[in-house]
Amino acid sequence: MHIGAGHHCVRDLLSFFLSFESSSTSFESTPPSSSSLPKDGSNYFQARYESLLNMYHSHFVTSENEKKNYTGNLKAAIDSFPFPLLPLNCFCFCFIILIDCEHFFVQIHFLFCLSFLFRQIDAFCNELLGLSLSLFSKEAFLSIIISFPLLVFNRNFHCRYFFLLKLPNVSQIFVFRFIEMDHFLKLLPKLTPQLRKGDCGKIAVIGGSLEYTGAPYYAASSISRLGADIIHVFCTPDAAPVIKGYSPDLIVHPGMSASSILPKLPRMDAIIIGPGLGRNPSLWPLLQELFQYVKKEEVPFVIDGDGLWFVSEHIEHFPRQMVTTVLTPNIVEFSRLCKSALGEEDVLKIKNNSQIQHLAAELSRKMDVTIYMKGEVDLVVTPNGEVSKCSTDSSLRRCGGQGDVTAGSLGLFLFWAKKNPGNDWTSAHHEAGISSSWLVRTAGRRAFEKHGRSMNTPMLLDEIPKLVRDVETREMKDIVHTDSSKH
Ligand SMILES: NC(=O)C1=CN([C@@H]2O[C@H](COP(=O)(O)OP(=O)(O)OC[C@H]3O[C@@H](n4cnc5c(N)ncnc54)[C@H](O)[C@@H]3O)[C@@H](O)[C@H]2O)[C@@H](O)CC1
Ligand SMILES: Nc1ncnc2c1ncn2[C@@H]1O[C@H](COP(=O)(O)OP(=O)(O)OP(=O)(O)O)[C@@H](O)[C@H]1O
């Protein structure tokens, strides 16, 4: 089959790529220049197709059987693919444009993110097959003009990336993007008959006081709904019966002394301190002992809410090399930390996101700890300067308690992420952070869509089971909008 510059319909193209499936030609990692591009395009397209399929296999398909199924299903789906009769809003194109300046050669890489089609193939619209098509600039820009409004304005699109890149190897970009969309699913542990009680997580939430009983409950409840086995809440004696009354699921320990809490911690897989903790100065010795324990034992550790207030107040005593620890400030808590650690005044007046990101990176470096900064865009910043951003659509309500869900879920995700072989603490922090952000934002958005301004945190929590189920059964339509970069 001859592939001309943009004159073939998508169906023909897909068939064309598939017809090379059994061939053994190896992938050339750099795109050809205009002069080396074969006249009929066959070798180039064949190599591109194979590389993309291989990438797909190595990142999403683990067994040979799955591989066969995937390819078989793909073929069947393509045979019945009704393009161009399919209504345009059933799919979206994602373009990656690669400009090879030397030869003024423009390639357009189409990603067919066909939620409609791909739900049939693998029932998970995050799983994309990238197809490449080389065009010359005239057709390229024509395609952009047609597709850009669809990408930007149609809310049904599940993928809205639009890149203009000058990069030598587009395949790396594909891999990078696909992996990031899949964090949440990757972290969920497989449920097998061999599991014992506790294998999916024994998590401690330290917080809860007379004034604040909701916060530790929200954190603990999110952990429970995500699938941890045992959740312990350590709180003041007057808060204990109230928290217990919210849910028989939680094991509630009254008493906030180090001597009563620390002996119970060796059984815990992750610890979250701060939601609803209160600011009683008598709690500081507990925090100090806890920091030492966490540092020595390398337990996943999240500091949120009033825990961050204590850190700001005693910044000179916050230990270094807390490699397992993530601080989860909102903007007010962040400004307090910046003031005490960096001497920065007036952080609350900063409206520019990149300035906030810059400060978060500085804070992370100075305190030698990971910062998960909550806001319009969530940032995960590690001391080595790596930044992950998550801007998945979220609720428009800023009701109290959403950050407690972030803290709780993050603690559990840290435990799961670190259990994944090959993850060091830095990558575990990024993976867990993105997953937690995605969870809170997506559950919040769903709750907001149902309840509007009456939405509150219990409603967000109620969305979690369905969300987890949707991801697991691969019926999920929401895509994570994330980005990672070196700062
Ligand atoms: N139902 C509950 O029990 C809840 C208890 N919470 C707990 O309450 C304690 C104190 O937290 P606060 O946040 O009130 O204390 P802060 O001292 O951090 O906040 C003080 C003020 O800053 C404002 N503020 C807070 N977050 C903001 C944001 N993201 N953007 C702009 N302004 C913001 C608030 O309106 C508040 O008036 C914490 O332990 C926290 O965990 C909260 O988590 C909310 C829910
Ligand atoms: N302006 C915003 N736009 C979109 N999402 C936001 C915005 N601010 C916060 N969020 C989302 O809400 C989550 C909770 O952030 P928030 O700032 O409310 O935390 P918090 O103040 O610590 O909460 P809490 O009330 O539990 O103490 C964040 O992880 C983020 O994803």
Side-chain angles (χ1 to χ4, degrees):
M1 181 192 296
H2 171 75
I3 297 279
H7 299 303
H8 285 261
C9 78
V10 173
R11 185 184 170 141
D12 285 345
L13 252 174
L14 287 163
S15 311
F16 172 78
F17 285 123
L18 283 172
S19 69
F20 288 108
E21 202 192 331
S22 55
S23 163
S24 60
T25 307
S26 63
F27 169 57
E28 44 171 290
S29 61
T30 46
S33 66
S34 52
S35 54
S36 68
L37 189 73
K39 284 281 165 289
D40 67 354
S42 59
N43 288 339
Y44 177 63
F45 287 121
Q46 174 185 358
R48 275 286 175 219
Y49 165 70
E50 280 178 5
S51 95
L52 289 163
L53 204 65
N54 279 341
M55 270 192 289
Y56 181 88
H57 286 154
S58 59
H59 291 290
F60 294 113
V61 186
T62 44
S63 72
E64 275 305 307
N65 250 352
E66 270 180 337
K67 204 166 170 170
K68 269 195 203 136
N69 277 346
Y70 172 74
T71 314
N73 288 342
L74 178 62
K75 274 184 167 159
I78 284 166
D79 282 340
S80 60
F81 182 38
F83 190 89
L85 300 175
L86 198 70
L88 279 180
N89 67 357
C90 286
F91 61 91
C92 84
F93 290 154
C94 178
F95 294 107
I96 293 183
I97 305 158
L98 189 118
I99 303 178
D100 179 340
C101 295
E102 215 182 310
H103 299 97
F104 296 102
F105 177 70
V106 179
Q107 286 178 43
I108 295 198
H109 293 257
F110 286 84
L111 290 183
F112 292 92
C113 171
L114 308 169
S115 58
F116 173 82
L117 172 67
F118 279 84
R119 283 240 295 279
Q120 286 174 27
I121 296 170
D122 214 334
F124 194 41
C125 65
N126 283 352
E127 298 179 16
L128 315 175
L129 177 69
L131 297 176
S132 308
L133 165 64
S134 291
L135 295 175
F136 289 99
S137 52
K138 206 174 84 199
E139 286 85 354
F141 287 110
L142 196 67
S143 309
I144 292 167
I145 288 162
I146 295 167
S147 310
F148 190 69
L150 297 175
L151 286 166
V152 174
F153 298 117
N154 194 322
R155 279 204 77 224
N156 291 331
F157 286 148
H158 302 132
C159 181
R160 286 188 227 155
Y161 298 119
F162 188 84
F163 306 117
L164 188 60
L165 302 167
K166 290 181 185 174
L167 289 172
N169 185 355
V170 84
S171 63
Q172 284 169 2
I173 304 299
F174 279 106
V175 176
F176 178 70
R177 282 288 157 184
F178 289 177
I179 290 172
E180 291 212 338
M181 289 175 187
D182 230 12
H183 280 289
F184 183 84
L185 183 64
K186 254 173 59 185
L187 288 189
L188 295 178
K190 275 210 163 63
L191 295 180
T192 64
Q194 288 73 39
L195 285 177
R196 291 169 188 276
K197 183 172 71 178
D199 286 351
C200 286
K202 304 180 288 297
I203 313 295
V205 176
I206 305 177
S209 50
L210 183 59
E211 297 91 333
Y212 306 123
T213 54
Y217 166 75
Y218 295 147
S221 185
S222 65
I223 297 167
S224 162
R225 286 162 202 236
L226 282 168
D229 293 330
I230 299 179
I231 302 113
H232 295 262
V233 177
F234 298 88
C235 58
T236 59
D238 39 19
V242 182
I243 297 172
K244 190 81 198 156
Y246 295 148
S247 168
D249 187 32
L250 308 177
I251 301 166
V252 183
H253 305 267
M256 292 297 262
S257 66
S259 59
S260 67
I261 295 178
L262 282 162
K264 301 196 176 85
L265 295 184
R267 280 184 278 141
M268 307 298 162
D269 297 314
I271 302 167
I272 296 110
I273 187 161
L277 185 68
R279 296 174 188 179
N280 188 331
S282 67
L283 290 170
W284 177 237
L286 165 67
L287 271 93
Q288 279 184 299
E289 287 202 40
L290 197 57
F291 294 161
Q292 293 313 324
Y293 171 82
V294 164
K295 185 172 168 175
K296 181 159 170 269
E297 300 300 327
E298 299 213 338
V299 193
F301 188 46
V302 177
I303 310 180
D304 184 45
D306 291 326
L308 294 173
W309 183 85
F310 278 103
V311 172
S312 303
E313 290 291 298
H314 302 275
I315 199 84
E316 67 285 4
H317 297 299
F318 187 72
R320 297 189 67 78
Q321 292 183 328
M322 297 283 283
V323 291
T324 66
T325 302
V326 182
L327 312 188
T328 54
N330 61 27
I331 187 68
V332 177
E333 291 150 353
F334 181 69
S335 70
R336 276 192 213 112
L337 289 168
C338 286
K339 187 170 175 194
S340 51
L342 307 173
E344 281 289 338
E345 305 278 348
D346 296 336
V347 171
L348 285 176
K349 289 188 186 144
I350 301 175
K351 297 286 173 244
N352 180 324
N353 275 342
S354 65
Q355 248 177 300
I356 293 280
Q357 181 177 327
H358 183 76
L359 265 181
E362 216 179 310
L363 185 66
S364 169
R365 234 184 337 260
K366 182 79 189 284
M367 292 184 69
D368 193 23
V369 74
T370 297
I371 307 283
Y372 177 132
M373 168 73 199
K374 294 172 287 191
E376 193 175 345
V377 175
D378 290 338
L379 301 173
V380 181
V381 187
T382 38
N384 68 351
E386 256 173 73
V387 181
S388 291
K389 296 181 198 172
C390 186
S391 56
T392 303
D393 289 348
S394 144
S395 149
L396 289 179
R397 283 275 287 129
R398 303 267 62 83
C399 53
Q402 294 182 84
D404 302 318
V405 178
T406 306
S409 57
L410 179 64
L412 178 61
F413 285 138
L414 284 175
F415 166 57
W416 286 345
K418 190 58 179 67
K419 272 212 315 195
N420 272 348
N423 260 353
D424 58 11
W425 282 108
T426 299
S427 45
H429 286 179
H430 284 279
E431 239 172 46
I434 290 170
S435 303
S436 171
S437 175
W438 177 82
L439 172 91
V440 177
R441 297 176 79 102
T442 311
R445 199 204 70 231
R446 285 184 172 198
F448 183 73
E449 279 168 4
K450 278 189 194 153
H451 306 285
R453 68 176 68 241
S454 302
M455 173 225 161
N456 59 20
T457 301
M459 292 168 187
L460 183 156
L461 287 171
D462 284 345
E463 292 298 323
I464 293 179
K466 173 88 169 56
L467 194 55
V468 176
R469 166 71 51 104
D470 283 354
V471 173
E472 279 199 298
T473 55
R474 303 184 162 209
E475 282 294 333
M476 192 62 224
K477 290 188 193 155
D478 307 276
I479 275 183
V480 188
H481 299 179
T482 58
D483 192 5
S484 286
S485 57
K486 275 268 180 203
H487 189 79

